[in-house]
Amino acid sequence: MDLNQDKSNDQEEQIADKSATDKLSILVVSGLSGSGKTSVLNILEDLGYYSIDNLPLSLLPNAAHKLVNESGICRIALGVDIRTPRADLSNFVEMHESLKATYGNHAVKIVYVTAQNSTLIARFNATRRVHPLMLQDTDSDHAKHIAFNLPAAIKKEVELLEPVASHADIRMDTSNLNIHQLKDNLREYVGVNNQIVINLLSFGFKYGSPMDADFVFDVRILPNPHWNPELRNATGLDAEVATFFADCPEVSEMTDDIERFLTRWLPEFLHNNRHTVTVAIGCTGGKHRSVFIADNLQRRLVDTMPQGIKVLAKHREKSRW
């Protein structure tokens, strides 16, 4: 009996079972220094990938195994570049084939990020950062030449990364892309939808305004159930408070106005590289008015927001009720 074969079959069955519910995606992200590889990894992280930058190439199989089989993570982006040991780069093809054999051809993709030489040079000059090859192997005459010549360092990097570039499934030239265009292109390449989370946050002004709010609506002008002894211990989630507000047309009018504003402008965040928007609604204590309006807005917006926007209601002062 071949124990290694049995172990491999068991692993493949586990991966197949997992893929039935969550599509496995392992992206090896590489590219030239200054091309935007780190930005790509950051965007992938925003899109739900577990991203690791500057991982030695020889550790990729172990990292993938731990994340997929032990942690149950289905979307992984592993950054590899010229900083990895040279011996690792020479074994890239073997490592790549091993990953595909283990997880399947469709699950493993190579993303290679590049840019025109003139763009790379301009970026290094603008940031005044040192090319990684300028800090390595300065003993030989050729290395000393690289250390003081940025174009030569870029040329050498292209040669060293050729095994990665030649196997790339996705090549991205960032020379003429801004960060928003880069995100749109990457999302299209990897087939991930852009999800926006809208947090409707009720709060009490007497405990301080939320510092991370994108919009703040003050509803303290509305009638306050706190002054009704029978409602003082209730909250904006209770039916008796809803009955109280049903007799206050201004509550409905303000809720309608806020809804119209949010319905008009929140979808624009889909096109503005945003992933979380916090809409804070405050009353005095964060127990009645703001809670009632936040909860009602959440139920309304769930039905009216376009696909890709998730709406949640949160109540900051709930622990004080």
Side-chain angles (χ1 to χ4, degrees):
M1 179 182 293
D2 189 340
L3 295 179
N4 290 332
Q5 182 64 41
D6 287 345
K7 182 178 179 180
S8 177
N9 290 339
D10 290 342
Q11 186 181 49
E12 290 176 0
E13 290 176 2
Q14 292 174 3
I15 294 167
D17 291 341
K18 188 171 189 59
S19 297
T21 55
D22 295 299
K23 185 177 180 181
L24 183 62
S25 176
I26 301 175
L27 301 180
V28 179
V29 181
S30 188
L32 301 178
S33 303
S35 64
K37 179 182 67 66
T38 299
S39 295
V40 167
L41 286 168
N42 290 338
I43 292 171
L44 288 172
E45 188 171 46
D46 290 339
L47 294 176
Y49 278 77
Y50 188 97
S51 297
I52 302 177
D53 194 9
N54 193 22
L55 186 69
L57 192 59
S58 59
L59 297 182
L60 253 65
N62 289 337
H65 173 81
K66 187 171 184 65
L67 293 171
V68 174
N69 297 92
E70 297 183 22
S71 301
I73 298 174
C74 297
R75 292 179 178 178
I76 303 167
L78 305 173
V80 176
D81 56 39
I82 197 63
R83 294 169 291 179
T84 194
R86 302 289 174 81
D88 285 1
L89 287 175
S90 64
N91 294 325
F92 175 79
V93 175
E94 179 181 351
M95 183 280 306
H96 184 216
E97 292 300 324
S98 174
L99 285 176
K100 291 196 297 182
T102 303
Y103 302 103
N105 291 338
H106 296 294
V108 180
K109 301 295 182 184
I110 306 298
V111 179
Y112 190 80
V113 190
T114 186
Q116 298 175 8
N117 281 13
S118 58
T119 300
L120 295 174
I121 292 172
R123 289 174 181 174
F124 273 106
N125 289 337
T127 61
R128 298 186 180 181
R129 296 193 64 187
V130 179
H131 192 284
L133 288 180
M134 294 180 176
L135 303 175
Q136 300 178 9
D137 302 332
T138 57
D139 293 335
S140 68
D141 292 338
H142 180 61
K144 289 179 181 178
H145 176 66
I146 293 177
F148 295 97
N149 188 324
L150 180 57
I154 294 172
K155 180 180 179 181
K156 183 63 176 179
E157 184 177 27
V158 171
E159 295 174 1
L160 292 172
L161 291 178
E162 194 280 332
V164 184
S166 62
H167 288 80
D169 300 286
I170 302 169
R171 294 181 66 96
M172 303 185 68
D173 187 324
T174 65
S175 301
N176 299 308
L177 299 180
N178 60 37
I179 191 66
H180 305 297
Q181 294 168 328
L182 177 61
K183 177 188 173 184
D184 289 340
N185 289 356
L186 187 61
R187 188 174 65 246
E188 181 179 346
Y189 283 139
V190 302
V192 175
N193 293 327
N194 184 26
Q195 186 180 66
I196 303 294
V197 177
I198 306 299
N199 292 312
L200 298 172
L201 179 68
S202 71
F203 73 97
F205 275 103
K206 73 177 183 178
Y207 302 115
S209 300
M211 299 300 294
D212 58 347
D214 298 286
F215 300 101
V216 177
F217 293 94
D218 185 348
V219 299
R220 288 176 292 185
I221 195 174
L222 301 176
N224 190 355
H226 174 81
W227 302 116
N228 185 326
E230 297 179 357
L231 299 177
R232 184 163 299 176
N233 292 327
T235 75
L237 301 178
D238 293 324
E240 55 266 39
V241 173
T243 301
F244 172 85
F245 284 137
D247 294 329
C248 306
E250 57 266 53
V251 174
S252 177
E253 291 172 5
M254 178 168 281
T255 305
D256 291 342
D257 287 344
I258 297 175
E259 181 188 8
R260 278 193 291 270
F261 176 85
L262 297 178
T263 301
R264 167 63 184 89
W265 292 109
L266 285 181
E268 297 298 322
F269 285 87
L270 278 169
H271 310 293
N272 197 37
N273 202 35
R274 295 291 297 274
H275 296 273
T276 302
V277 179
T278 297
V279 179
I281 302 169
C283 60
T284 304
K287 185 177 181 180
H288 295 105
R289 294 166 289 183
S290 62
V291 172
F292 177 81
I293 291 180
D295 188 63
N296 275 268
L297 283 172
Q298 190 269 338
R299 285 189 271 109
R300 293 189 190 186
L301 294 176
V302 162
D303 296 328
T304 59
M305 285 289 104
Q307 184 178 4
I309 294 184
K310 184 176 182 179
V311 185
L312 303 174
K314 300 180 181 181
H315 308 297
R316 194 185 74 177
E317 319 304 351
K318 190 172 183 178
S319 62
R320 306 177 188 272
W321 297 351

